[in-house]
């Protein structure tokens, strides 16, 4: 699995609009339809639709 990258300001705002605490998540994969997030501490994987 790829290492997660820090989120940009726009990505932080999008995650917060979806009700996700953006401070605890890293962006692993970003496609046109799907974002794959990794939790900073538990390594849990979450996939969300791209805006």
């Amino acid at each position: 699995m790829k290492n997660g990258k820090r989120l940009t300001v726009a990505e932080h705002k999008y995650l917060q609009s979806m009700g996700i605490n953006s401070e605890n998540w890293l962006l692993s994969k970003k496609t046109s339809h799907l974002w794959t997030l990794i939790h900073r501490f538990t390594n849990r994987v979450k996939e969300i639709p791209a805006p």
Side-chain angles (χ1 to χ4, degrees), residues 3-49:
N3 291 338
K5 303 294 180 193
R6 292 180 62 188
L7 301 170
T8 64
V9 173
E11 292 164 348
H12 273 283
K13 289 180 182 179
Y14 177 65
L15 290 183
Q16 289 180 349
S17 73
M18 293 193 64
I20 298 172
N21 183 0
S22 60
E23 293 184 8
N24 292 334
W25 294 92
L26 300 171
L27 188 60
S28 173
K29 187 175 184 182
K30 186 176 179 182
T31 64
S32 60
H33 301 290
L34 193 68
W35 289 3
T36 304
L37 305 171
I38 301 175
H39 196 272
R40 282 185 192 266
F41 307 115
T42 63
N43 290 329
R44 182 173 155 228
V45 176
K46 181 183 284 195
E47 292 183 340
I48 61 169

